Amino acid sequence: MAGPAASLSTLSLSTQSPAPMAPALRGRLVAPAASAFGGSPRFPTLRAAPRRVKPLAVAGDAEDEWGKEPAVAEAPADVPVTSEVAELKAKLKEALYGTERGLRASSETRAEVVELITQLEARNPTPAPTDALTLLNGKWILAYTSFSQLFPLLGAGSLPQLVKVEEISQTIDSENFTVQNCIKFSGPLATTSVSTNAKFEIRSPKRVQIKFDEGIIGTPQLTDSIVLPEKFEFLGQNIDLTPLKGIFSSIENAASSVARTISGQPPLKIPIRTDNAESWLLTTYLDDELRISRGDGSSIFVLFKEGSTLLF
């Protein structure tokens, strides 16, 4: 799959208070959502495949106008796949633990992840993913990426204090050939999301072309209760927030009526009309719970299917 709209679109956004977002912040958030699953600043993500439409490139095509597809190891002829794949997926899950979608991964961990990915790609049970759209269908949660343009969004330094990225996901509708990249943010007072909608076309048995249509900034939803950490770090200093808990309790009571008003507002939709709002995505491994994709700039995306045991 190709940050809030062009990069999740590598996907998502910033949450502050029940008040509407400032126009300047809206623009900054929409761009990351598009890049979360793609690879270039040009609104990368998955793009749609026409419904049973004749592919624009034959299976044997090694390259097209977007360049040569990355080389992927072929599966060995007589390899017992099931047990090996299960073991490799378990190792991959363990290697990704604590990396924060790749942001905190050390060079040693990255090397281990790449090795495991290469081994899984060589045992891909779905050599032609675009012929198995039912497997691609559904919501996929980003577990790891090497897409460097997404790191500034994930890094604490680029988000307001106390705001964190809850989830980066990509939802594929194989019947309508649409893709939605979404980033969900949460803070002490509210949660919100930034997403991008796109269409995709099949270009080869493994590649789809994606073109983004619009970015969406979700309406902030006030949380049922204010979750305030005991402390947080600011400019190298640990700030104790315990004395503020009483104040926030009063704010929580007053905000309940405001929440109903704000939550009833429709999300802000921003059309994406630039010709550069597209990218391609190559699926190199696919089964019913794991998807590995490669995008522009040799970026790698590891995604787990919603509900998969790999997420727990």
Side-chain angles (χ1 to χ4, degrees), residues 23-128:
L25 180 56
R26 295 174 184 157
R28 292 176 54 197
L29 291 179
V30 173
S35 317
F37 300 96
S40 91
R42 313 168 295 148
F43 296 86
T45 316
L46 274 174
R47 190 177 176 189
R51 185 177 311 175
R52 306 311 298 169
V53 172
K54 182 179 179 181
L56 302 181
V58 293
D61 285 348
E63 57 180 298
D64 57 18
E65 72 275 17
W66 289 90
K68 190 174 182 179
E69 293 184 355
V72 177
E74 297 294 334
D78 301 314
V79 177
V81 174
T82 307
S83 60
E84 274 194 67
V85 167
E87 183 179 354
L88 288 170
K89 289 197 291 187
K91 289 181 177 179
L92 179 60
K93 175 183 177 179
E94 182 179 356
L96 297 183
Y97 181 79
T99 64
E100 296 185 26
R101 305 179 187 87
L103 177 66
R104 308 298 181 192
S106 64
S107 57
E108 181 179 354
T109 298
R110 290 184 182 282
E112 180 184 1
V113 169
V114 169
E115 175 60 27
L116 291 169
I117 286 174
T118 300
Q119 292 185 51
L120 282 165
E121 289 175 332
R123 294 161 177 78
N124 183 15
T126 314

Side-chain angles (χ1 to χ4, degrees), residues 46-49 171-180 198-200 213:
L46 274 174
R47 190 177 176 189
T171 301
I172 300 175
D173 182 345
S174 61
E175 292 187 0
N176 296 305
F177 298 95
T178 61
V179 176
Q180 183 181 72
K199 296 283 188 180
F200 72 88
D213 299 321

Side-chain angles (χ1 to χ4, degrees), residues 1 38 45-46 68-72 121 129-130 204-210 279-285 291-296 299-301:
M1 312 174 121
T45 316
L46 274 174
K68 190 174 182 179
E69 293 184 355
V72 177
E121 289 175 332
T130 57
S204 78
K206 292 183 179 181
R207 178 185 286 196
V208 295
Q209 194 70 28
I210 304 160
S279 185
W280 56 266
L281 202 64
L282 189 72
T283 299
T284 56
Y285 182 94
R291 183 175 128 225
I292 298 173
S293 297
R294 294 177 181 264
D296 297 349
S299 53
I300 297 175
F301 302 93

Side-chain angles (χ1 to χ4, degrees), residues 159-179:
L159 292 175
Q161 294 293 327
L162 305 181
V163 175
K164 67 176 181 177
V165 176
E166 283 288 344
E167 177 184 275
I168 298 178
S169 65
Q170 185 173 71
T171 301
I172 300 175
D173 182 345
S174 61
E175 292 187 0
N176 296 305
F177 298 95
T178 61
V179 176

Side-chain angles (χ1 to χ4, degrees), residues 167-300:
E167 177 184 275
I168 298 178
S169 65
Q170 185 173 71
T171 301
I172 300 175
D173 182 345
S174 61
E175 292 187 0
N176 296 305
F177 298 95
T178 61
V179 176
Q180 183 181 72
N181 290 331
C182 181
I183 302 175
K184 292 182 178 179
F185 293 88
S186 69
L189 298 175
T191 61
T192 187
S193 65
V194 168
S195 60
T196 54
N197 292 332
K199 296 283 188 180
F200 72 88
E201 295 177 357
I202 295 175
R203 289 298 177 94
S204 78
K206 292 183 179 181
R207 178 185 286 196
V208 295
Q209 194 70 28
I210 304 160
K211 183 172 179 60
F212 299 96
D213 299 321
E214 65 179 1
I216 302 174
I217 298 178
T219 303
Q221 304 291 316
L222 290 188
T223 56
D224 294 333
S225 60
I226 297 176
V227 179
L228 189 68
E230 293 184 0
K231 60 182 180 179
F232 76 100
E233 186 175 333
F234 180 68
L235 298 178
Q237 300 292 322
N238 285 321
I239 309 299
D240 185 7
L241 299 179
T242 304
L244 299 178
K245 288 190 175 181
I247 298 176
F248 272 86
S249 179
S250 300
I251 294 175
E252 181 179 355
N253 295 330
S256 58
S257 59
V258 179
R260 290 191 291 271
T261 302
I262 294 180
S263 300
Q265 298 300 314
L268 176 63
K269 297 184 178 182
I270 305 173
I272 300 175
R273 306 191 185 282
T274 173
D275 294 334
N276 293 326
E278 59 183 281
S279 185
W280 56 266
L281 202 64
L282 189 72
T283 299
T284 56
Y285 182 94
L286 177 66
D287 63 23
D288 60 355
E289 63 176 358
L290 171 65
R291 183 175 128 225
I292 298 173
S293 297
R294 294 177 181 264
D296 297 349
S298 301
S299 53
I300 297 175

